Structures are given as structure tokens and as C-alpha cells.
Amino acid sequence: MTLEELRNNSVFPVGGENVNYAKYFIGTSYLNMISMEQVVIGNVTFEPGCRNNWHIHHADKAGGQMLLVTAGSGWYQEWGKEPQKLQPGDVVHIPANVKHWHGASADSAFQHLAIEVSGENCSTEWCEPVSDEEYGKLK
Ligand code: MN
């Protein structure tokens, strides 16, 4: 799926380029905050090949992140584990304090809703990029 196909079929608006987090991504992503109240939810769209760096959603208690996949094809991987292919309808529960990355497939745009799970002393630590070598091994 191309970015334009995804954009034209997106239930929630794709929003503008995700410039504030661009330094933590390879490729271009788009962010539209669809809720800033009660539960914070962002609609994140990735062009084909775009992925975020390895990162950790820290929390002393609860916290973490949930991904609800809404379009395209992508990946989720936890440090030391096999990558998981993602398709629309998939739900990913990312525990706090687990190093991971998420992003598009090489040949398709990708979109997920990212839900911030509330917790105590939450912060996100951004780590190294997912290298072309690592990413290129995904099938
Ligand atoms: Mn994450």
C-alpha cells in the first residue's frame, strides 16, 4: 500500500509530518494527536521503509504503550526477540521498560494508533536506529 492509498482511506486524519520526533525515526512519519484528554492517543503513519529507533517507555508502575494497527503492513520487535509482522486489526501490548521498535514494511505504508498507558514517572528513552542491515533481514 502506498502512502497516498493509505491517506485516502484513513479513518482518522493522517496529520502533518512528525517533525518533533523526526530525529528518532528513519524515513518520514506523520502524527495526528486524536485524543489529549483521559487517554492520550496518537495516529502515527509511516511511509514505506520508515521505522522508529529502538526505544523504551519507562515507568515505575504501569505505563507502556498499546498499538492498534489500522492500515498497511508493518513490524514490531522487542529486544532479543523475533520481529512480529503487523496487519490491520492487530493489537500490540508493549510493557513498560521493554526496549522495542515499530514501523512500516519496506514495501508498504503503515499506520497505527498509539495509546499511552498511564503510569508513574513515565518517560520515553530513545536509543539507536534500526540499521538498514537489521531492517533488511525482515521478511
Ligand atoms: Mn513504542
Side-chain angles (χ1 to χ4, degrees):
M1 171 177 270
T2 68
L3 183 62
E4 275 318 296
E5 286 167 343
L6 189 156
R7 189 191 293 280
N8 292 337
N9 290 289
S10 184
V11 172
F12 296 104
V14 164
E17 215 174 296
N18 188 6
V19 288
N20 290 340
Y21 291 88
K23 59 184 174 229
Y24 306 123
F25 283 66
I26 288 178
T28 302
S29 68
Y30 301 82
L31 176 64
N32 180 30
M33 296 309 298
I34 59 178
S35 169
M36 293 297 287
E37 297 172 39
Q38 295 187 307
V39 176
V40 174
I41 304 173
N43 184 24
V44 187
T45 303
F46 305 74
E47 68 174 355
C50 175
R51 66 274 190 184
N52 51 31
N53 290 3
W54 289 99
H55 61 282
I56 304 164
H57 304 292
H58 288 286
D60 290 341
K61 199 175 174 189
Q65 186 181 46
M66 283 179 63
L67 308 179
L68 307 187
V69 180
T70 44
S73 166
W75 294 98
Y76 169 70
Q77 186 177 18
E78 294 183 0
W79 188 257
K81 295 192 182 173
E82 288 298 310
Q84 297 174 35
K85 186 125 199 174
L86 298 178
Q87 60 181 15
D90 286 343
V91 177
V92 182
H93 296 267
I94 306 172
N97 309 308
V98 169
K99 189 172 177 177
H100 67 280
W101 68 271
H102 26 116
S105 300
D107 61 354
S108 176
F110 178 58
Q111 184 187 68
H112 63 56
L113 301 180
I115 300 175
E116 287 182 23
V117 180
S118 64
E120 289 179 10
N121 297 319
C122 294
S123 66
T124 296
E125 177 187 0
W126 292 96
C127 309
E128 69 275 22
V130 179
S131 69
D132 287 342
E133 192 193 353
E134 254 177 310
Y135 185 78
K137 287 179 192 161
L138 301 170
K139 291 189 187 80

